[in-house]
PDB file of all heavy atoms in Angstrom:
ATOM      1  N   ALA A 146     -16.787  47.185  40.653  1.00  0.00           N
ATOM      2  CA  ALA A 146     -15.957  48.248  41.228  1.00  0.00           C
ATOM      3  C   ALA A 146     -14.577  47.732  41.621  1.00  0.00           C
ATOM      4  O   ALA A 146     -13.628  48.520  41.748  1.00  0.00           O
ATOM      5  CB  ALA A 146     -16.648  48.869  42.441  1.00  0.00           C
ATOM      6  N   TYR A 147     -14.456  46.418  41.782  1.00  0.00           N
ATOM      7  CA  TYR A 147     -13.188  45.837  42.219  1.00  0.00           C
ATOM      8  C   TYR A 147     -12.541  44.962  41.144  1.00  0.00           C
ATOM      9  O   TYR A 147     -11.546  44.295  41.421  1.00  0.00           O
ATOM     10  CB  TYR A 147     -13.397  45.028  43.505  1.00  0.00           C
ATOM     11  CG  TYR A 147     -13.834  45.900  44.651  1.00  0.00           C
ATOM     12  CD1 TYR A 147     -15.176  45.985  45.014  1.00  0.00           C
ATOM     13  CD2 TYR A 147     -12.912  46.666  45.358  1.00  0.00           C
ATOM     14  CE1 TYR A 147     -15.580  46.795  46.062  1.00  0.00           C
ATOM     15  CE2 TYR A 147     -13.303  47.487  46.409  1.00  0.00           C
ATOM     16  CZ  TYR A 147     -14.645  47.545  46.760  1.00  0.00           C
ATOM     17  OH  TYR A 147     -15.040  48.357  47.794  1.00  0.00           O
ATOM     18  N   HIS A 148     -13.107  44.955  39.930  1.00  0.00           N
ATOM     19  CA  HIS A 148     -12.475  44.221  38.849  1.00  0.00           C
ATOM     20  C   HIS A 148     -11.118  44.853  38.522  1.00  0.00           C
ATOM     21  O   HIS A 148     -10.948  46.065  38.608  1.00  0.00           O
ATOM     22  CB  HIS A 148     -13.342  44.241  37.584  1.00  0.00           C
ATOM     23  CG  HIS A 148     -14.547  43.369  37.677  1.00  0.00           C
ATOM     24  ND1 HIS A 148     -15.416  43.196  36.615  1.00  0.00           N
ATOM     25  CD2 HIS A 148     -15.048  42.595  38.677  1.00  0.00           C
ATOM     26  CE1 HIS A 148     -16.394  42.376  36.972  1.00  0.00           C
ATOM     27  NE2 HIS A 148     -16.187  42.009  38.220  1.00  0.00           N
ATOM     28  N   ARG A 149     -10.185  43.999  38.114  1.00  0.00           N
ATOM     29  CA  ARG A 149      -8.887  44.524  37.682  1.00  0.00           C
ATOM     30  C   ARG A 149      -9.054  45.273  36.360  1.00  0.00           C
ATOM     31  O   ARG A 149     -10.011  45.049  35.608  1.00  0.00           O
ATOM     32  CB  ARG A 149      -7.886  43.374  37.505  1.00  0.00           C
ATOM     33  CG  ARG A 149      -8.261  42.401  36.387  1.00  0.00           C
ATOM     34  CD  ARG A 149      -7.220  41.310  36.212  1.00  0.00           C
ATOM     35  NE  ARG A 149      -7.641  40.339  35.220  1.00  0.00           N
ATOM     36  CZ  ARG A 149      -7.457  40.473  33.906  1.00  0.00           C
ATOM     37  NH1 ARG A 149      -6.844  41.545  33.436  1.00  0.00           N
ATOM     38  NH2 ARG A 149      -7.864  39.542  33.066  1.00  0.00           N
ATOM     39  N   GLU A 150      -8.107  46.140  36.067  1.00  0.00           N
ATOM     40  CA  GLU A 150      -8.086  46.792  34.765  1.00  0.00           C
ATOM     41  C   GLU A 150      -7.857  45.729  33.694  1.00  0.00           C
ATOM     42  O   GLU A 150      -6.947  44.911  33.805  1.00  0.00           O
ATOM     43  CB  GLU A 150      -6.973  47.834  34.700  1.00  0.00           C
ATOM     44  CG  GLU A 150      -6.955  48.635  33.422  1.00  0.00           C
ATOM     45  CD  GLU A 150      -5.890  49.707  33.406  1.00  0.00           C
ATOM     46  OE1 GLU A 150      -5.229  49.902  34.448  1.00  0.00           O
ATOM     47  OE2 GLU A 150      -5.710  50.347  32.354  1.00  0.00           O
ATOM     48  N   GLY A 151      -8.707  45.696  32.691  1.00  0.00           N
ATOM     49  CA  GLY A 151      -8.600  44.697  31.640  1.00  0.00           C
ATOM     50  C   GLY A 151      -9.345  43.411  31.934  1.00  0.00           C
ATOM     51  O   GLY A 151      -9.187  42.422  31.203  1.00  0.00           O
ATOM     52  N   ALA A 152     -10.168  43.400  32.979  1.00  0.00           N
ATOM     53  CA  ALA A 152     -10.944  42.201  33.282  1.00  0.00           C
ATOM     54  C   ALA A 152     -11.909  41.891  32.138  1.00  0.00           C
ATOM     55  O   ALA A 152     -12.541  42.792  31.577  1.00  0.00           O
ATOM     56  CB  ALA A 152     -11.736  42.388  34.575  1.00  0.00           C
ATOM     57  N   PRO A 153     -12.037  40.631  31.751  1.00  0.00           N
ATOM     58  CA  PRO A 153     -12.956  40.290  30.658  1.00  0.00           C
ATOM     59  C   PRO A 153     -14.408  40.368  31.111  1.00  0.00           C
ATOM     60  O   PRO A 153     -14.707  40.290  32.309  1.00  0.00           O
ATOM     61  CB  PRO A 153     -12.568  38.837  30.342  1.00  0.00           C
ATOM     62  CG  PRO A 153     -12.059  38.303  31.640  1.00  0.00           C
ATOM     63  CD  PRO A 153     -11.349  39.447  32.312  1.00  0.00           C
ATOM     64  N   ASP A 154     -15.291  40.523  30.164  1.00  0.00           N
ATOM     65  CA  ASP A 154     -16.738  40.471  30.433  1.00  0.00           C
ATOM     66  C   ASP A 154     -17.168  39.020  30.259  1.00  0.00           C
ATOM     67  O   ASP A 154     -17.353  38.552  29.137  1.00  0.00           O
ATOM     68  CB  ASP A 154     -17.489  41.392  29.472  1.00  0.00           C
ATOM     69  CG  ASP A 154     -18.978  41.484  29.801  1.00  0.00           C
ATOM     70  OD1 ASP A 154     -19.433  40.746  30.707  1.00  0.00           O
ATOM     71  OD2 ASP A 154     -19.674  42.274  29.144  1.00  0.00           O
ATOM     72  N   LEU A 155     -17.318  38.310  31.358  1.00  0.00           N
ATOM     73  CA  LEU A 155     -17.643  36.885  31.302  1.00  0.00           C
ATOM     74  C   LEU A 155     -19.131  36.618  31.151  1.00  0.00           C
ATOM     75  O   LEU A 155     -19.522  35.472  30.878  1.00  0.00           O
ATOM     76  CB  LEU A 155     -17.122  36.186  32.569  1.00  0.00           C
ATOM     77  CG  LEU A 155     -15.611  36.223  32.778  1.00  0.00           C
ATOM     78  CD1 LEU A 155     -15.246  35.562  34.098  1.00  0.00           C
ATOM     79  CD2 LEU A 155     -14.877  35.554  31.616  1.00  0.00           C
ATOM     80  N   TYR A 156     -19.960  37.650  31.317  1.00  0.00           N
ATOM     81  CA  TYR A 156     -21.411  37.471  31.183  1.00  0.00           C
ATOM     82  C   TYR A 156     -21.976  38.640  30.378  1.00  0.00           C
ATOM     83  O   TYR A 156     -22.747  39.447  30.887  1.00  0.00           O
ATOM     84  CB  TYR A 156     -22.038  37.382  32.573  1.00  0.00           C
ATOM     85  CG  TYR A 156     -23.469  36.885  32.606  1.00  0.00           C
ATOM     86  CD1 TYR A 156     -23.891  35.800  31.828  1.00  0.00           C
ATOM     87  CD2 TYR A 156     -24.404  37.482  33.448  1.00  0.00           C
ATOM     88  CE1 TYR A 156     -25.186  35.343  31.875  1.00  0.00           C
ATOM     89  CE2 TYR A 156     -25.713  37.031  33.503  1.00  0.00           C
ATOM     90  CZ  TYR A 156     -26.101  35.963  32.712  1.00  0.00           C
ATOM     91  OH  TYR A 156     -27.404  35.506  32.770  1.00  0.00           O
ATOM     92  N   PRO A 157     -21.590  38.715  29.090  1.00  0.00           N
ATOM     93  CA  PRO A 157     -21.985  39.871  28.271  1.00  0.00           C
ATOM     94  C   PRO A 157     -23.501  39.973  28.141  1.00  0.00           C
ATOM     95  O   PRO A 157     -24.176  38.990  27.825  1.00  0.00           O
ATOM     96  CB  PRO A 157     -21.339  39.578  26.910  1.00  0.00           C
ATOM     97  CG  PRO A 157     -20.300  38.531  27.179  1.00  0.00           C
ATOM     98  CD  PRO A 157     -20.799  37.736  28.331  1.00  0.00           C
ATOM     99  N   GLU A 158     -24.005  41.166  28.365  1.00  0.00           N
ATOM    100  CA  GLU A 158     -25.457  41.354  28.364  1.00  0.00           C
ATOM    101  C   GLU A 158     -26.075  40.982  27.026  1.00  0.00           C
ATOM    102  O   GLU A 158     -27.151  40.384  26.972  1.00  0.00           O
ATOM    103  CB  GLU A 158     -25.793  42.800  28.741  1.00  0.00           C
ATOM    104  CG  GLU A 158     -27.255  43.002  29.071  1.00  0.00           C
ATOM    105  CD  GLU A 158     -27.509  44.293  29.819  1.00  0.00           C
ATOM    106  OE1 GLU A 158     -26.548  45.028  30.103  1.00  0.00           O
ATOM    107  OE2 GLU A 158     -28.699  44.566  30.102  1.00  0.00           O
ATOM    108  N   HIS A 159     -25.394  41.284  25.923  1.00  0.00           N
ATOM    109  CA  HIS A 159     -25.978  41.036  24.613  1.00  0.00           C
ATOM    110  C   HIS A 159     -25.996  39.550  24.258  1.00  0.00           C
ATOM    111  O   HIS A 159     -26.660  39.145  23.293  1.00  0.00           O
ATOM    112  CB  HIS A 159     -25.228  41.821  23.539  1.00  0.00           C
ATOM    113  CG  HIS A 159     -23.842  41.332  23.258  1.00  0.00           C
ATOM    114  ND1 HIS A 159     -22.766  41.602  24.089  1.00  0.00           N
ATOM    115  CD2 HIS A 159     -23.340  40.579  22.241  1.00  0.00           C
ATOM    116  CE1 HIS A 159     -21.683  41.049  23.606  1.00  0.00           C
ATOM    117  NE2 HIS A 159     -21.988  40.422  22.475  1.00  0.00           N
ATOM    118  N   LEU A 160     -25.294  38.716  25.022  1.00  0.00           N
ATOM    119  CA  LEU A 160     -25.270  37.280  24.744  1.00  0.00           C
ATOM    120  C   LEU A 160     -26.121  36.460  25.713  1.00  0.00           C
ATOM    121  O   LEU A 160     -26.271  35.252  25.532  1.00  0.00           O
ATOM    122  CB  LEU A 160     -23.823  36.762  24.812  1.00  0.00           C
ATOM    123  CG  LEU A 160     -22.858  37.223  23.717  1.00  0.00           C
ATOM    124  CD1 LEU A 160     -21.465  36.661  23.985  1.00  0.00           C
ATOM    125  CD2 LEU A 160     -23.354  36.788  22.339  1.00  0.00           C
TER     126      LEU A 160
END
Side-chain angles (χ1 to χ4, degrees):
Y147 296 99
H148 287 184
R149 65 178 176 85
E150 185 177 354
D154 186 354
L155 298 177
Y156 193 43
E158 193 163 359
H159 70 283
L160 291 177

